[in-house]
């Protein structure tokens, strides 16, 4: 089953990041690279990417057939998505073990969610 490991950024994690030296920030990024390589070698990684800061994002909605988009930053947001790992592992317990290896887990929290696969709709339709 696929699980999405969400790397969340918030005020606490951003403050912790700011205390790191440039060398420590580089090592942090390299730890992400090593984890991605390890998960790829084990066959558990489906995909992984980091995201650029939220001020480069857009929020999109459709009202009465009209597309509306809003530029970041989003002042009301206290937490945002900083990156993710999509893994394919047999159990939630294994996904949690892998989430604990994400470097950000030491600064704040990461979240694990099972992926709802569209093929599950076929089971519901029965």
């Amino acid at each position: 089953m696929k699980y999405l490991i969400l790397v969340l950024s918030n005020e606490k994690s951003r403050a912790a990041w700011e205390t790191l030296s440039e060398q420590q920030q580089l090592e942090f990024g390299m730890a992400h690279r090593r984890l991605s390589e390890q998960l790829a070698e084990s066959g558990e990684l489906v995909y992984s990417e980091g995201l650029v800061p939220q001020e480069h994002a857009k929020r999109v909605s459709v009202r009465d057939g009209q597309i509306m988009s809003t530029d970041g930053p989003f002042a009301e947001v206290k937490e945002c998505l900083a990156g993710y790992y999509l893994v394919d592992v047999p159990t939630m317990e294994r996904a949690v073990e892998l989430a604990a290896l994400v470097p950000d887990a030491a600064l704040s929290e990461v979240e694990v969610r099972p992926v709802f696969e569209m093929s599950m709709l076929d089971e519901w339709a029965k």
Side-chain angles (χ1 to χ4, degrees), residues 104-119:
D104 300 74
L107 296 179
S108 61
E109 295 177 348
V110 296
E111 182 177 326
V112 178
R113 283 198 200 178
V115 172
F116 182 87
E117 298 182 29
M118 291 301 158
S119 62

Side-chain angles (χ1 to χ4, degrees), residues 17 20 22-36 85 103-104:
W17 176 260
L20 299 178
E22 283 187 29
Q23 182 61 36
Q24 289 171 316
Q25 290 177 353
L26 176 62
E27 290 170 6
F28 193 86
M30 297 304 287
H32 273 286
R33 179 187 281 178
R34 285 192 300 278
L35 178 58
S36 290
Y85 290 81
D104 300 74

Side-chain angles (χ1 to χ4, degrees), residues 2-101:
K2 291 185 180 86
Y3 294 88
L4 192 60
I5 299 171
L6 302 163
V7 179
L8 303 172
S9 176
N10 57 36
E11 191 173 304
K12 177 184 166 192
S13 64
R14 286 189 293 274
W17 176 260
E18 293 299 323
T19 66
L20 299 178
S21 68
E22 283 187 29
Q23 182 61 36
Q24 289 171 316
Q25 290 177 353
L26 176 62
E27 290 170 6
F28 193 86
M30 297 304 287
H32 273 286
R33 179 187 281 178
R34 285 192 300 278
L35 178 58
S36 290
E37 291 169 352
Q38 289 172 338
L39 295 175
E41 288 175 16
S42 70
E44 296 171 307
L45 180 67
V46 176
Y47 201 76
S48 174
E49 291 290 349
L51 299 174
V52 298
Q54 67 178 3
E55 58 265 23
H56 300 284
K58 289 188 180 280
R59 288 190 171 191
V60 177
S61 61
V62 178
R63 301 290 183 271
D64 299 322
Q66 298 294 311
I67 298 171
M68 299 183 306
S69 69
T70 307
D71 292 338
F74 310 108
E76 71 278 7
V77 174
K78 296 187 188 265
E79 192 167 67
C80 67
L81 184 62
Y84 63 90
Y85 290 81
L86 179 59
V87 296
D88 192 354
V89 294
T91 64
M92 172 62 102
E93 289 76 20
R94 179 61 181 153
V96 169
E97 287 174 6
L98 297 177
L101 298 175

